[in-house]
Amino acid sequence: MDVTSLNRKRGNIKGQVTRLENALQDKNVGELTLPELQAQLDVVLKLQEKFEILKSDYYKNANETEFSEAEVALDSIEEDLQNLEVSLKTSINKLKYNVEYLKGQNIDSSTKDAHTANNDQPKRATIKLPEIPLPLFNGKFEEWNLFKTQFNSLINENAELSEHEKLHYLRGCLKGEAKIIETSDDDFTSLFKALEQRYENKRVIVDCHIKNILNFPAMKHESAKDLRILLDNIKRNLRSLKILDFNRDKLSNTLLLNIVLDKLDRETRKQYELTLKDNEVPDFDVCLEFLERRYQILSSINSNIPAKLNTERSKSLFIKSNKSKTCIACKTLTHALYQCDKFKSMKLSDRLDLVKKHRLCFNCLSEFHIISACNSKSSCFVCKKKHHTLLHKYAIPERNPNAVDDRQAPNEHMAETINSSEIIDSTSENARASFHTNGNSKGVLINTAIVYVKDSFGRRKPLRAILDSASESSFISSRAADALGLPKERINIPVSGLNDSAINIKRKISSQISNEKNDSQWEIDLMIVPKISHSLLLRKLIFHI
């Protein structure tokens, strides 16, 4: 038989099921008599037999692709038939119960209402309880015991259900990987036995529970939600192991304690260690009680404090600009002055004149106050004096006629932007100003300098640094970090930039930087990035070779 004929038969069965559903909806099931309900049930059972034959024909005649296309429709028909069967049998059982009750009380159905009205005996109000949903099983070993217990209680131990009915209920409970086991030739006993042979593997179940504890991810930061998930995972799997007769002892408690402590965030671990008063091995149950109290405290704090930006974990590289006014340099865009490409491309003298003309703050370039009223803690990254880095006056280094290194001679383009009348002393002879260009766009002035960084042997190595006044963090290329040989510390900090794009920094190093004369030193943390590119130029301090 070809697939086209099978699809037609499938459509015919689907049409009968739909018509039967519509008929039952038009006439309330509760209004039907017992013979009418039984007749409808017989129709449903015959349709189920036809459907099983059709499903078997699909297995035999359809290839993999054709069966995959028809599988969704077949599952839908099977589910509809099961729902019809359950609904009709429920209504039949209710009617049979009412009839038996009336017979036991010797009450004729025609005088039922009168008897109820004249009966002075107190009656208990009938409460309609919600239907108990059947348990579902998707093939997870650790969920098999719970599914088996519930299914046996609701279906398998129900003497009123036939084997055929139990089979339909069991098939309706199987999902995902567990459904692959069933075949069209299975009866209830064979299918349930196949499931027991497949999933009633105590060793695998115990391994699953243990791995759920061992492989649970560690908490990255202090969080009431993450702590609750961790506690629930630990307790749930320990309860399951106890049901399987794997009770905890002194040794297992010690192992569990160390496993749980390794999964806590740093602050929670610190608070727990502060509760220990002696050198005795802590009790695991006491640790769980502490974590429960810790969760309650964190939940209470979080519920009373409005959500706000965590500046420790997410650092923005730019100060929020005032969008109410346009930039005084380019007259078009609404960004901060220090972000303006036109302002950066001006000569130093023109930038100074613009700041003086508009009476801006020389330190933060704000238009709302002058430098004497500036509360910003930032200062020039070159000389550390109270003015913006874009307003720093660079000294032009003396030209060595015998020099072969182009870093000893000032860049020709750079020299045009520096007015010799505005030169002030610089603490470093290696201070430079360079330009970054991209295609046909205008040049953007970026401050650079040669700084000396101590490596793992304590030696000072010269590196080129790019300076930016609008950043909050310092970065180093992975190539430069490897050359220094310093130990790398694991971190996980998202850093956002233009258009709120973010990258996750995974490593950092700590070192000491100094100028060429080594008369000024600074301890600094450097976040490691793969390379220094145009998307990372706007940083506070970027080191590369």
Side-chain angles (χ1 to χ4, degrees):
M1 184 178 296
D2 59 354
V3 178
T4 303
S5 300
L6 294 176
N7 291 338
R8 290 176 181 171
K9 286 186 176 182
R10 186 189 73 203
N12 184 25
I13 294 176
K14 178 64 176 177
Q16 294 182 57
V17 172
T18 303
R19 288 192 293 272
L20 188 58
E21 288 177 337
N22 294 336
L24 293 175
Q25 288 177 358
D26 294 339
K27 189 172 183 180
N28 190 355
V29 179
E31 299 176 358
L32 297 175
T33 62
L34 187 60
E36 289 175 331
L37 290 172
Q38 190 63 51
Q40 297 284 13
L41 180 60
D42 293 339
V43 174
V44 172
L45 295 177
K46 290 179 181 179
L47 285 175
Q48 287 178 339
E49 293 176 358
K50 289 182 180 180
F51 177 75
E52 291 299 326
I53 296 173
L54 174 65
K55 197 172 180 181
S56 178
D57 291 338
Y58 266 107
Y59 281 118
K60 295 176 182 178
N61 301 306
N63 56 36
E64 250 184 71
T65 304
E66 293 170 340
F67 184 78
S68 298
E69 294 175 352
E71 188 174 12
V72 177
L74 291 174
D75 291 342
S76 175
I77 295 174
E78 185 175 16
E79 185 176 354
D80 292 341
L81 287 171
Q82 290 174 359
N83 292 336
L84 283 172
E85 182 184 7
V86 171
S87 177
L88 290 170
K89 285 185 176 180
T90 302
S91 300
I92 290 173
N93 290 335
K94 286 182 179 179
L95 282 178
K96 286 182 178 179
Y97 174 79
N98 291 336
V99 171
E100 294 296 331
Y101 175 77
L102 293 176
K103 286 182 180 180
Q105 298 293 327
N106 294 323
I107 302 173
D108 184 67
S109 59
S110 61
T111 60
K112 174 183 175 183
D113 295 335
H115 173 82
T116 303
N118 295 327
N119 191 359
D120 295 332
Q121 296 295 329
K123 296 289 184 179
R124 186 177 62 179
T126 58
I127 302 175
K128 185 177 180 181
L129 297 175
E131 294 183 2
I132 301 176
L134 291 178
L136 299 179
F137 181 62
N138 58 8
K140 291 185 178 181
F141 281 88
E142 59 267 36
E143 296 178 0
W144 165 252
N145 286 332
L146 176 61
F147 167 76
K148 180 181 177 181
T149 302
Q150 293 178 341
F151 186 83
N152 284 336
S153 177
L154 295 174
I155 303 299
N156 198 16
E157 298 174 0
N158 191 340
E160 297 182 0
L161 297 177
S162 65
E163 292 292 307
H164 183 73
E165 293 169 337
K166 292 179 181 180
L167 175 62
H168 282 288
Y169 283 123
L170 179 57
R171 284 179 170 173
C173 293
L174 301 181
K175 303 294 179 183
E177 293 183 4
K179 200 170 184 65
I180 301 176
I181 296 179
E182 66 175 277
T183 66
S184 59
D185 299 327
D186 270 322
D187 57 16
F188 172 74
T189 304
S190 64
L191 180 56
F192 197 80
K193 185 176 180 180
L195 289 170
E196 287 181 326
Q197 292 175 347
R198 173 71 174 88
Y199 293 105
E200 205 159 303
N201 189 327
K202 191 172 183 179
R203 175 185 174 183
V204 176
I205 294 173
V206 171
D207 286 346
C208 289
H209 289 302
I210 293 176
K211 288 178 180 178
N212 287 341
I213 297 175
L214 294 176
N215 299 334
F216 194 83
M219 296 173 58
K220 297 180 180 179
H221 52 81
E222 188 180 64
S223 168
K225 178 181 177 182
D226 292 344
L227 184 57
R228 181 74 269 161
I229 295 174
L230 173 63
L231 282 170
D232 290 343
N233 175 74
I234 298 295
K235 292 183 176 181
R236 180 174 61 252
N237 287 283
L238 289 180
R239 288 197 305 271
S240 299
L241 289 171
K242 185 176 182 180
I243 293 174
L244 296 171
D245 296 329
F246 285 86
N247 296 314
R248 293 188 283 127
D249 56 17
K250 193 172 182 180
L251 175 59
S252 64
N253 281 342
T254 304
L255 295 174
L256 286 169
L257 176 66
N258 285 272
I259 291 171
V260 172
L261 291 180
D262 286 341
K263 298 184 182 302
L264 300 178
D265 62 278
R266 184 174 181 178
E267 182 61 26
T268 302
R269 175 70 181 269
K270 174 184 174 182
Q271 294 298 327
Y272 173 70
E273 295 291 344
L274 291 174
T275 63
L276 305 179
K277 299 180 180 179
D278 49 38
N279 295 326
E280 294 295 326
V281 178
D283 184 77
F284 178 64
D285 291 322
V286 174
C287 177
L288 293 181
E289 292 175 2
F290 166 80
L291 295 178
E292 287 288 353
R293 293 195 302 272
R294 178 76 172 168
Y295 163 73
Q296 295 173 3
I297 293 172
L298 293 177
S299 298
S300 177
I301 293 174
N302 292 338
S303 62
N304 295 327
I305 299 179
K308 61 181 179 179
L309 180 65
N310 191 335
T311 56
E312 289 297 324
R313 296 196 300 270
S314 178
K315 297 184 177 181
S316 173
L317 297 181
F318 305 109
I319 299 174
K320 185 177 179 181
S321 61
N322 181 11
K323 297 187 177 181
S324 60
K325 294 184 180 181
T326 57
C327 173
I328 61 175
C330 64
K331 303 294 185 183
T332 55
L333 302 178
T334 54
H335 51 218
L337 182 60
Y338 60 83
Q339 294 174 323
C340 180
D341 292 340
K342 183 176 180 180
F343 181 72
K344 294 177 182 179
S345 63
M346 291 180 180
K347 293 181 180 181
L348 178 59
S349 58
D350 293 337
R351 294 200 297 271
L352 290 169
D353 291 341
L354 183 65
V355 172
K356 293 176 182 178
K357 177 181 177 181
H358 292 275
R359 298 179 59 82
L360 306 180
C361 175
F362 273 75
N363 187 46
C364 66
L365 302 182
S366 171
E367 60 180 312
F368 300 106
H369 60 262
I370 58 177
I371 189 170
S372 59
C374 183
N375 295 324
S376 175
K377 297 181 180 180
S378 301
S379 59
C380 178
F381 284 121
V382 179
C383 65
K384 301 300 180 182
K385 294 183 179 180
K386 200 70 172 179
H387 60 255
H388 201 280
T389 309
L390 291 176
L391 303 180
H392 179 77
K393 302 177 182 179
Y394 289 90
I396 301 179
E398 297 179 358
R399 184 178 180 87
N400 185 353
N402 298 323
V404 294
D405 186 353
D406 60 353
R407 291 182 299 177
Q408 295 180 0
N411 185 290
E412 180 180 355
H413 191 186
M414 176 185 70
E416 294 177 359
T417 67
I418 302 178
N419 190 328
S420 60
S421 64
E422 298 171 343
I423 296 176
I424 63 173
D425 292 335
S426 175
T427 60
S428 174
E429 295 179 0
N430 289 317
R432 294 287 187 271
S434 62
F435 284 87
H436 168 69
T437 59
N438 185 4
N440 297 325
S441 63
K442 296 181 179 179
V444 179
L445 180 65
I446 295 182
N447 302 313
T448 68
I450 296 294
V451 297
Y452 291 82
V453 186
K454 277 191 177 182
D455 62 7
S456 57
F457 297 101
R459 297 173 301 194
R460 299 169 65 237
K461 286 192 174 183
L463 296 178
R464 172 72 65 179
I466 300 173
L467 308 175
D468 175 54
S469 61
S471 177
E472 298 177 359
S473 301
S474 303
F475 301 85
I476 187 170
S477 67
S478 57
R479 180 184 173 192
D482 293 339
L484 294 174
L486 295 170
K488 299 176 182 178
E489 180 182 348
R490 295 186 63 179
I491 58 174
N492 187 14
I493 298 179
V495 178
S496 57
L498 290 174
N499 199 26
D500 283 337
S501 60
I503 58 174
N504 284 332
I505 306 298
K506 301 295 185 182
R507 296 285 190 278
K508 75 172 183 177
I509 62 174
S510 300
S511 183
Q512 183 187 88
I513 66 171
S514 59
N515 56 5
E516 183 181 21
K517 296 180 181 179
N518 200 23
D519 56 3
S520 298
Q521 296 90 23
W522 302 270
E523 297 294 334
I524 189 170
D525 290 336
L526 302 171
M527 299 183 185
I528 301 175
V529 295
K531 62 179 181 179
I532 305 301
S533 63
H534 68 280
S535 62
L536 294 176
L537 283 176
L538 296 179
R539 303 297 186 213
K540 175 181 177 183
L541 199 55
I542 305 177
F543 298 85
H544 64 96
I545 298 178

